[in-house]
Amino acid sequence: MEQMTDEQRERFDAMVAAVIDGLPAGVQRVLDEVSVTVLDRPTPVMLAELGMSEADADDVCGLHTGVGLTERGIEDQPMAPDVIHLFRFGTVRVARGWHGPDADARIGEEIRITLLHEIGHHFGLDETDLDDLGYG
């Protein structure tokens, strides 16, 4: 399995911070309630919960874990906090890699799309809803 260098991780993480800083204030406030975690790839447990194999790990850009706001009830027991996971390898792969003068722009845009997609899941949107909004 391919590895990522520390420099590439730092570069990616700086792009995540820049994308978050560039979001509208209202969207940034959502991230006060939901933590954003950056990993190289989804864990085997995450993949199993998605019904995927480890061979599919580099196809996953992001994952929202938790219960969407529209699925919560006032009588529900307290739950673990929602988390948005961003995955470096899948995102870089979808953005066509680190090479080329526009690599940072491509990767940054894929981070933005993935982050907004996962925020959509936090609000209870499903894949069809997100496809219709252009965040599929």
Side-chain angles (χ1 to χ4, degrees):
M1 193 176 277
E2 187 180 343
Q3 297 299 312
M4 189 170 284
T5 67
D6 289 341
E7 179 183 326
Q8 289 170 328
R9 281 187 188 92
E10 289 171 15
R11 189 172 161 191
F12 187 94
D13 295 353
M15 287 185 229
V16 170
V19 166
I20 290 171
D21 288 345
L23 293 174
V27 177
Q28 286 184 16
R29 280 192 295 277
V30 170
L31 297 178
D32 290 340
E33 303 170 17
V34 180
S35 64
V36 176
T37 301
V38 181
L39 302 170
D40 282 354
R41 294 178 172 90
T43 66
V45 171
M46 290 173 180
L47 290 168
E49 289 174 0
L50 292 169
M52 301 174 87
S53 72
E54 289 194 40
D56 300 318
D58 289 349
D59 294 332
V60 183
C61 296
L63 176 66
H64 169 263
T65 56
V67 178
L69 295 178
T70 59
E71 298 175 23
R72 297 178 187 184
I74 52 176
E75 294 183 11
D76 288 344
Q77 295 295 315
M79 298 172 235
D82 288 26
V83 179
I84 291 173
H85 304 273
L86 299 176
F87 304 113
R88 294 180 188 101
F89 271 91
T91 303
V92 170
R93 188 193 64 73
V94 168
R96 299 183 324 274
W98 290 107
H99 305 291
D102 64 339
D104 283 7
R106 286 183 281 106
I107 294 167
E109 179 62 9
E110 190 57 41
I111 290 168
R112 187 184 73 77
I113 289 168
T114 301
L115 184 59
L116 292 172
H117 179 105
E118 301 310 332
I119 289 170
H121 284 312
H122 175 69
F123 282 105
L125 299 176
D126 64 19
E127 295 300 324
T128 302
D129 299 327
L130 292 163
D131 284 341
D132 291 345
L133 291 170
Y135 296 107

